[in-house]
Amino acid sequence: MPTSFSRRTFVLTALALPLSTALPAYALSENEARKLVDEVVQDIQKVISSGKSDAAVLKDFEQLFVRYADVNIMAQYALGSDGRSASNAQKRAFADAFKGYIARKYGKRFRDFVGGRVEVQSTRAIKAGYEVKTKAYLQGQSPFDVSFHVSDRSGSDKFFNIYIEGVNLLLTERTEIGAMLDKRGGDINAVVSDLKKSG
């Protein structure tokens, strides 16, 4: 298992489960799932080699996350059972705040890719769609496995979770959001405010 934070979170850091058993597969094909991950990897490499300032690179990485990740599904899962009692307005506000929070948080980790690379290894069908396995090579670290779970549930091909050597990143976020909700006594509006300042 990875020992550094950058290895645990490096994508949503190739910028989030039981969720993977709950999503229908729809019409997504194996080739389409692999193509999506190929595009994610290629775009990350372009940003890394762009020579832009840190602030500009971070903004580009945030945009990549929003483009390729199924943020609404991820937000729904991260909110967990608290979402059942939330109003539609609260759910929308949470999804918007979660999008910014998660993009900022993991966008910062993309800097770890400088001088590194990610290679797509294989693709297989799962209940939720497809799992695309990759191998990440970062400077000063042993290669490690990264799996993207891809679905078209939102109407377009998106990844909805990433596993780093078996570590479920979306489940990790659900745990952290749950702790924030506990701290705020289940007040979703307060957590939305916290998320806007976090990441």
Side-chain angles (χ1 to χ4, degrees), residues 161-181:
N161 200 5
I162 300 172
Y163 287 71
I164 309 296
E165 290 193 346
V167 176
N168 181 331
L169 297 186
L170 188 51
L171 183 57
T172 299
E173 290 305 323
R174 182 172 185 167
T175 300
E176 293 186 10
I177 295 295
M180 294 172 72
L181 283 163

Side-chain angles (χ1 to χ4, degrees), residues 6 9 16 22 31-32 37 42 67-69 71 80 104 171 199:
S6 65
T9 62
N31 285 340
E32 288 168 340
V37 176
Q42 290 169 10
R67 181 187 311 161
Y68 290 114
V71 179
R104 289 190 302 275
L171 183 57

Side-chain angles (χ1 to χ4, degrees), residues 36-192:
L36 174 77
V37 176
D38 281 334
E39 290 175 356
V40 172
V41 170
Q42 290 169 10
D43 282 353
I44 287 171
Q45 300 294 348
K46 288 177 184 176
V47 174
I48 289 169
S49 60
S50 68
K52 294 182 179 179
S53 67
D54 284 352
V57 165
L58 178 56
K59 184 176 180 181
D60 285 347
F61 281 139
E62 290 176 6
Q63 291 173 345
L64 289 183
F65 178 79
V66 172
R67 181 187 311 161
Y68 290 114
D70 196 336
V71 179
N72 288 332
I73 292 298
M74 296 171 73
Q76 177 184 332
Y77 182 76
L79 189 55
S81 60
D82 291 271
R84 289 197 290 268
S85 60
S87 67
N88 288 335
Q90 285 178 316
K91 290 177 183 178
R92 287 193 297 271
F94 178 83
D96 287 342
F98 181 80
K99 175 177 66 176
Y101 156 78
I102 207 75
R104 289 190 302 275
K105 179 176 180 180
Y106 290 104
K108 293 173 184 175
R109 307 299 166 219
F110 283 133
R111 295 189 184 108
D112 297 331
F113 274 81
V114 175
R117 71 186 192 281
V118 180
E119 297 177 357
V120 176
Q121 304 286 308
S122 63
T123 307
R124 71 180 182 93
I126 58 176
K127 247 183 183 180
Y130 289 91
E131 176 186 53
V132 182
K133 293 186 176 181
T134 73
K135 184 77 74 173
Y137 300 85
L138 304 187
Q139 288 187 336
Q141 300 186 43
S142 301
F144 56 97
D145 296 324
V146 180
S147 295
F148 292 80
H149 285 194
V150 180
S151 169
D152 62 356
R153 183 184 182 191
S154 63
S156 58
D157 303 344
K158 303 275 188 178
F159 70 80
F160 63 89
N161 200 5
I162 300 172
Y163 287 71
I164 309 296
E165 290 193 346
V167 176
N168 181 331
L169 297 186
L170 188 51
L171 183 57
T172 299
E173 290 305 323
R174 182 172 185 167
T175 300
E176 293 186 10
I177 295 295
M180 294 172 72
L181 283 163
D182 288 344
K183 181 179 178 181
R184 293 297 192 176
D187 186 337
I188 293 176
N189 294 332
V191 171
V192 166

Side-chain angles (χ1 to χ4, degrees), residues 1-27:
M1 184 171 288
T3 57
S4 70
F5 182 75
S6 65
R7 289 182 57 158
R8 282 174 60 90
T9 62
F10 98 97
V11 201
L12 272 165
T13 290
L15 239 9
L17 189 128
L19 177 66
S20 64
T21 64
L23 297 175
Y26 292 98

